[in-house]
Amino acid sequence: MILVNYLVGVVVFALGVAVILTRRNLVKIVMGLSLIESSGYLLLLSAAYRRGSTAPVLLKPPGGQSEQDLARGNVADPVLQNVCLTAIVIGVAVTAVLLVTVVRIAQHYRTLDADRVRDLRG
Amino acid sequence: MRRAVVGWVFAVATAGVLGVAVVDLPREGAALPHIARQAMTVALPDWRTTEPVSEVVYGTRTFDTFGETFLLLAAVVSVLLLARHRERRHDYFGEEEAGQEEQRYQNPGDEPVGPTERTARAADTREDDDAAANAGEASAGRPETPDAEPVGTAAPEAAQGMTVVVRVAIRWVLPVLAVAGGYLVVQGYSPGGGFPAGVVLVGVVLLVYAGFGYRRIARLVRPGPLEVLELIGALLVIVVLALGLALKGSFGANWLPLAPEQTFRSGGTMQAFSVAELIEVGTGLTIVIFSFLAIRHDWTPANPDAADSTQPGGDGEDSR
């Protein structure tokens, strides 16, 4: 029932979109972006899963299986797991930059309200 | 509320479209895609590693990881640029003076502040005994290290360290965590690699900071050495990958002799790349986190009356 994972990922993504569109607090908007990122991780890891699969380690296949079984597909997809690692690192980097921008906006405009951050203020 | 309606309609529509799209994704019964099978079959003979995920990270998708590393570096540089205004650059902490200077520039005349604000500023001054220690002043009757504080005192809010329970726990956990971080990167055949190991080591630094205060790691966590270390890590990445181009004719190709699998050196340049990645990620994230911790000036309201009002400081108090 990996479809449930996919659908939960979609719901989390939509929640993130909703947070970004409906909130005015900049920190909450960044949190919405983090929600969207998390949905991406869930989607990637779910897509990597195979029924009855083991971790993609070539050490010793579980009982009754040969290494050929592993290569033939009784293992989680290592490429997608790698893509998930990449996504996590990029998510951390993007969140850090966004948060520091929010801190500076707050110090400059003295508000976290996105609607009040319109006028140019040198 | 137009914003809420539009936002939720859009979000639900997105969910609908994605939900329809997602139904056709490969399920748990699907065969492994070709590229995954290729990674599985290539890991052992070509790289002498039993860890296909690491092989994909540092072998098959080398160029992608290379780009990712420098994306992280770019993020660190942006955070540094944004987080520092015009402070003197000798420390992450102790930037308060620069902030006060800016504050004085913004509201000249130095109007009298309210009682709430006075309390807050006094607490800030008490907390900032790192700056006092740097200036060579006595630090207001506080012991040199949190360990020297007598057990059972009512810890003030400004206390540098946590309680003795937390400190002892941290002492026990730290070596385990540090060894685990090192293990992740040293054992090429274990799941892990430079990225997770770097993050684990950042966790070690943060635990020391949380438990024992900044002074315990102040010698280690300074912009000077850390930034140099990070750039050394980035340079190592470039050197390791470019040597593949020079010696083997393709960027990121393995140019080290392959050791037997499940040893320290199995994986060839994968391991070297992983170690460089550890340096880069560990120092980069430390720099980012401590830059965040150092942003603390300039939060006082511009309007001194706002500090006197009963409302806690928050959005929209400013009259401008």
Side-chain angles (χ1 to χ4, degrees):
Chain A
M1 283 309 287
I2 211 71
L3 186 65
V4 175
N5 281 31
Y6 291 157
L7 293 180
V8 170
V10 167
V11 168
V12 173
F13 186 96
L15 272 181
V17 171
V19 166
I20 288 173
L21 290 180
T22 58
R23 300 294 116 170
R24 286 167 58 175
N25 189 314
L26 288 171
V27 175
K28 288 182 185 167
I29 292 177
V30 176
M31 286 163 83
L33 273 172
S34 290
L35 264 183
I36 291 183
E37 282 162 27
S38 314
S39 79
Y41 310 149
L42 181 59
L43 201 69
L44 286 172
L45 286 184
S46 309
Y49 176 76
R50 293 288 177 277
R51 186 179 291 123
S53 67
T54 62
V57 177
L58 296 175
L59 204 49
K60 232 182 232 158
Q65 294 181 6
S66 65
E67 263 127 26
Q68 279 75 31
D69 286 338
L70 286 186
R72 229 177 280 133
N74 220 342
V75 74
D77 189 340
V79 177
L80 285 176
Q81 295 198 348
N82 159 248
V83 173
C84 187
L85 273 181
T86 305
I88 289 173
V89 176
I90 292 178
V92 167
V94 169
T95 309
V97 175
L98 283 177
L99 278 180
V100 76
T101 313
V102 168
V103 170
R104 280 307 176 203
I105 287 175
Q107 292 182 337
H108 194 68
Y109 289 88
R110 300 193 184 280
T111 178
L112 282 174
D113 190 336
D115 280 0
R116 294 168 62 92
V117 195
R118 299 209 168 179
D119 44 340
L120 290 174
R121 201 186 285 173
Chain B
M1 214 35 213
R2 194 162 146 261
R3 178 202 300 268
V5 171
V6 172
W8 278 106
V9 165
F10 193 80
V12 169
T14 313
V17 171
L18 286 180
V20 171
V22 133
V23 171
D24 259 359
L25 276 184
R27 305 283 179 82
E28 61 264 45
L32 270 191
H34 171 71
I35 181 163
R37 259 176 294 149
Q38 205 254 349
M40 301 283 298
T41 45
V42 133
L44 206 48
D46 283 12
W47 293 88
R48 216 58 73 69
T49 179
T50 51
E51 177 45 50
V53 177
S54 291
E55 194 277 326
V56 176
V57 176
Y58 299 114
T60 314
R61 295 181 75 223
T62 306
F63 195 67
D64 183 76
T65 310
F66 172 75
E68 185 191 354
T69 308
F70 283 82
L71 189 142
L72 189 72
L73 182 65
V76 170
V77 171
S78 333
V79 168
L80 278 182
L81 279 178
L82 288 169
R84 290 212 184 104
H85 242 348
R86 35 191 154 127
E87 297 84 1
R88 266 149 271 149
R89 293 208 41 197
H90 60 274
D91 218 341
Y92 284 118
F93 291 79
E95 300 183 339
E96 207 178 40
E97 317 148 40
Q100 282 165 351
E101 223 167 87
E102 186 187 342
Q103 195 69 40
R104 270 196 299 277
Y105 174 75
Q106 284 199 345
N107 32 350
D110 209 13
E111 306 93 337
V113 293
T116 321
E117 185 52 32
R118 255 200 306 278
T119 321
R121 287 191 186 176
D124 270 356
T125 319
R126 269 203 310 278
E127 255 177 74
D128 198 23
D129 74 340
D130 283 321
N134 286 341
E137 296 165 18
S139 52
R142 303 265 308 282
E144 187 61 26
T145 70
D147 287 334
E149 276 184 35
V151 178
T153 46
E157 196 194 21
Q160 195 184 18
M162 299 249 180
T163 63
V164 66
V165 178
V166 179
R167 294 201 302 266
V168 169
I170 289 178
R171 282 220 167 80
W172 279 92
V173 164
L174 271 188
V176 179
L177 262 185
V179 169
Y183 176 87
L184 280 178
V185 75
V186 164
Q187 308 286 57
Y189 54 86
S190 69
F195 280 112
V199 175
V200 170
L201 292 185
V202 172
V204 170
V205 173
L206 277 180
L207 267 184
V208 173
Y209 169 71
F212 305 109
Y214 176 59
R215 205 185 296 161
R216 278 291 174 88
I217 45 167
R219 207 168 299 163
L220 190 72
V221 181
R222 273 183 305 158
L226 274 189
E227 285 165 16
V228 170
L229 248 185
E230 169 166 43
L231 291 181
I232 287 176
L235 192 67
L236 268 180
V237 171
I238 295 178
V239 166
V240 166
L241 296 187
L243 271 180
L245 186 63
L247 299 176
K248 294 282 172 169
S250 92
F251 191 72
N254 180 41
W255 48 270
L256 282 171
L258 286 171
E261 66 264 21
Q262 297 189 39
T263 56
F264 285 168
R265 292 189 299 114
S266 63
T269 52
M270 255 179 61
Q271 278 293 82
F273 192 178
S274 181
V275 170
E277 200 75 69
L278 165 82
I279 300 172
E280 156 88 28
V281 172
T283 53
L285 289 185
T286 312
I287 290 172
V288 165
I289 289 168
F290 279 88
S291 305
F292 270 112
L293 290 175
I295 307 180
R296 57 165 157 181
H297 59 75
D298 207 5
W299 280 98
T300 47
N303 181 5
D305 296 332
D308 287 334
S309 70
T310 50
Q311 286 179 336
D315 297 350
E317 279 190 7
D318 183 19
S319 55
R320 275 193 285 181

